[in-house]
Amino acid sequence: MFTRTARTLTAAALAAAGVGLGAVGTAQAATASCGYINIGSPGNVNLHGMYAGQVEQVYNTCNGYTWAHFQWATAYQQGPYRSDTVFVSINSWSNGGQVTGPVSTAVKDVDSPGMYIHDANPDTFIAYAQVSCAAAWGTWHAYANGANWGGPAPYSC
């Protein structure tokens, strides 16, 4: 789990780099210790010889929830396989996961339901995406100490 100091330092570093941390859909500025951050590295999905998109883990420093975010590649969305669908999930090491139903390429950004990080022991999570026969996952991340256990892993078919 990130400490308040670590969140503040991360937010300050992002703010210095010009990255906004405000909540989606609001014009108000976020406080320096609260916002969304991407965790670890994303995993790429390649399908039919094309880059289809990537999945990454997102963490809300305000409420302690994490979820998986998948974004389709524009060229894949507009290509001959645009009828494909993706299942996106956030999985904990010990406490199962949350998954979307199949979501088509018509939806650019797909988010899994979130999971509260302290409901799992250990509080370690991974973002996962499955498109047809291809799958990928981002970095396994342990919130208790900030360690990354491995990944990302791209798969192609």
Side-chain angles (χ1 to χ4, degrees):
M1 181 168 102
F2 293 105
T3 64
R4 177 176 291 267
T5 302
R7 287 192 313 246
T8 302
L9 291 175
T10 300
L14 291 172
V19 176
L21 293 175
V24 175
T26 181
Q28 297 176 344
T31 63
S33 63
C34 197
Y36 303 122
I37 57 174
N38 296 330
I39 299 295
S41 298
N44 295 332
V45 175
N46 296 291
L47 191 59
H48 310 293
M50 295 179 68
Y51 170 67
Q54 70 177 203
V55 63
E56 64 187 338
Q57 189 174 159
V58 182
Y59 175 67
N60 184 332
T61 63
C62 303
N63 66 13
Y65 277 79
T66 187
W67 63 92
H69 173 79
F70 180 83
Q71 184 174 66
W72 289 103
T74 300
Y76 196 87
Q77 284 182 292
Q78 297 170 352
Y81 304 105
R82 62 182 169 264
S83 63
D84 279 346
T85 59
V86 63
F87 290 86
V88 180
S89 65
I90 187 74
N91 300 292
S92 76
W93 183 261
S94 64
N95 203 27
Q98 295 287 327
V99 64
T100 64
V103 180
S104 77
T105 57
V107 179
K108 179 75 170 173
D109 295 287
V110 182
D111 290 322
S112 75
M115 292 183 74
Y116 183 57
I117 64 167
H118 299 299
D119 283 347
N121 185 14
D123 53 0
T124 303
F125 292 84
I126 192 169
Y128 178 84
Q130 177 80 41
V131 181
S132 184
C133 59
W137 54 87
T139 304
W140 271 106
H141 183 76
Y143 286 91
N145 62 12
N148 291 324
W149 287 8
Y155 280 88
S156 304
C157 63

